[in-house]
Amino acid sequence: MRTAPYYVSTLQLFFALLFCLLSLTRLAFSQEEQKEQALDPEKERYRSTLLFANILELIRDEYVDSEDIDYQFLTQSALKGMLSSLDPYSEFLDGEKFQDLRTETEGEFGGLGIYVGMKKDGSVVINATTENGPGKRSGLLPNDMILSINNVSTENLTLGDVIHKLRGPSGEPVVLKIGRSSIEEEVEISVVREIINVPTVLNTRILSSPSETDPLKLGYIFISQFGEKTENEFETALETLKEEKIQGLVLDLRNNPGGLLDSAVQVAGKFTPKGTIIAFTETRFEERKLFKAQGNTHYDKLPLILLINRNSASGAEIVAGALQDLGRALLIGERSFGKGSVQSIQPVDISIDPPVGIRLTTAKYYTPSKKVIHKVGITPDIEVNITRDNSDTIFLQQTAYRLPPNEKDKLLSIPDPQLDRAVAILKGLIYYYRLYAPSNSS
């Protein structure tokens, strides 16, 4: 009575084991087949392209709100996700972003000559107006609230959206609805855009004037970012200070996010002999590309101190790292951000209007002594940490050129611990070299 059930169970177990064995064999062949296909770039490319096309068509055919989407929207959305998944700096540039990026690096655009900011409640405020700019001539004032731009409310706009709407072709009017605390009613002001040049070299001034007890004269230059016109602006600033017969210079790179690599190399090259290696990059396809000091105008004997902080990145780190490596400058402040990768801006479709492109990380750069910058940063020779309030004040001081003279002087009179330390150390170095320079030794 017990034999038959036992026999049946054994038979079932046999077939179960046979089925498992066949399944494992099939799985092994399937995995081997997939591995072979994965090793073939052409097959993998074809499969990936087909997968993308199939999903694209599936969305177009079955998505519930298909009338709200088209192929361009789907494709560009996919590209945005693809590029952003690589690293924090690669991105797809749609028509607006591509044009904005070109405007940013060229340093020239059609605008109103105003600086705007956003309060914690999301309201948009005019922080300052440029001298002789179209905004100031039309009656716009600092602290005016921008309620709408060309009848579009600013209530739900980001600061980037606001800036984009304010900029545009020169000669076109922009109608702003303004709220002003001194008047109860809202007013509309029409401002015609003009070409606005955005300087990157700012606040060039004398920090220390000679006196009987302290005969030294020190200069100061702040570079906000590295653009196409930075080298010429920087050369003009240096020549201005040279006419003042300065004995030393403080170069401020705090809060400088970087910009164009070539521009940063040109700035660093002002303080080193022609042909000096400033930085080098390594990519997948070339072992090393050297960036060297160019030109004939150099200040390779001028005593120099660089200021950096946690917001100094990319091109600012190239300049700081090179001049520190070469023993050309002393660095004071905080460890820098640590962005040591190079992004190439490449147009990819100029047939559509406006053209689109990509920002793609294509290389990493290193200091002359082969120090890694990416995710590490540049460590200052003398660390001077500051509070958040100090940091906010320093940022305002760096942009003080926007303010009227009396407000500017008041703001610049507030102590800057990092700058004050730089001045004290620079004076000490100058006096030391005067006393103990080799030319003075017996």
Side-chain angles (χ1 to χ4, degrees), residues 214-226:
D214 186 1
L216 295 182
K217 182 184 284 190
L218 306 180
Y220 170 91
I221 297 175
F222 167 54
I223 301 180
S224 62
Q225 65 177 346
F226 295 97

Side-chain angles (χ1 to χ4, degrees), residues 399-415:
T399 56
Y401 68 96
R402 306 171 179 174
L403 303 175
N406 58 331
E407 294 183 27
K408 176 181 176 181
D409 294 341
K410 182 179 179 181
L411 182 59
L412 293 179
S413 67
I414 300 175

Side-chain angles (χ1 to χ4, degrees), residues 254-430:
R254 293 173 297 178
N255 302 314
N256 182 320
L260 300 181
L261 175 61
D262 289 340
S263 176
V265 171
Q266 290 163 353
V267 167
K270 296 294 182 184
F271 303 103
T272 59
K274 183 177 180 180
T276 302
I277 295 175
I278 303 299
F280 66 88
T281 61
E282 290 184 351
T283 69
R284 287 176 54 190
F285 306 107
E286 57 183 356
E287 184 175 340
R288 184 172 294 180
K289 181 178 180 180
L290 302 179
F291 293 85
K292 300 180 180 181
Q294 303 294 324
N296 299 314
T297 305
H298 298 284
Y299 302 81
D300 53 345
K301 301 298 181 182
L302 181 68
L304 177 66
I305 282 185
L306 262 63
L307 291 174
I308 60 173
N309 67 357
R310 68 196 72 177
N311 297 321
S312 303
S314 190
E317 293 174 293
I318 287 179
V319 176
L323 297 181
Q324 183 186 53
D325 269 8
L326 298 168
R328 184 60 192 85
L330 200 64
L331 270 54
I332 294 178
E334 303 165 312
R335 179 189 290 268
S336 63
F337 183 81
K339 180 186 177 296
S341 57
V342 179
Q343 283 70 47
S344 299
I345 310 301
Q346 304 175 24
V348 293
D349 191 348
I350 59 175
S351 63
I352 63 175
D353 186 25
V356 299
I358 62 172
R359 185 209 307 258
L360 185 65
T361 301
T362 55
K364 291 182 179 180
Y365 54 74
Y366 304 85
T367 69
S369 67
K370 303 181 183 179
K371 287 180 185 175
V372 176
I373 296 176
H374 200 54
K375 298 182 179 180
V376 176
I378 301 295
T379 302
D381 299 293
I382 299 174
E383 192 167 352
V384 180
N385 293 312
I386 57 176
T387 65
R388 177 62 183 269
D389 289 342
N390 286 146
S391 182
D392 292 343
T393 301
I394 288 168
F395 178 77
L396 293 175
Q397 289 174 329
Q398 289 176 324
T399 56
Y401 68 96
R402 306 171 179 174
L403 303 175
N406 58 331
E407 294 183 27
K408 176 181 176 181
D409 294 341
K410 182 179 179 181
L411 182 59
L412 293 179
S413 67
I414 300 175
D416 177 346
Q418 293 170 334
L419 179 57
D420 292 342
R421 179 72 67 87
V423 170
I425 292 175
L426 185 56
K427 288 182 178 181
L429 289 174
I430 294 171

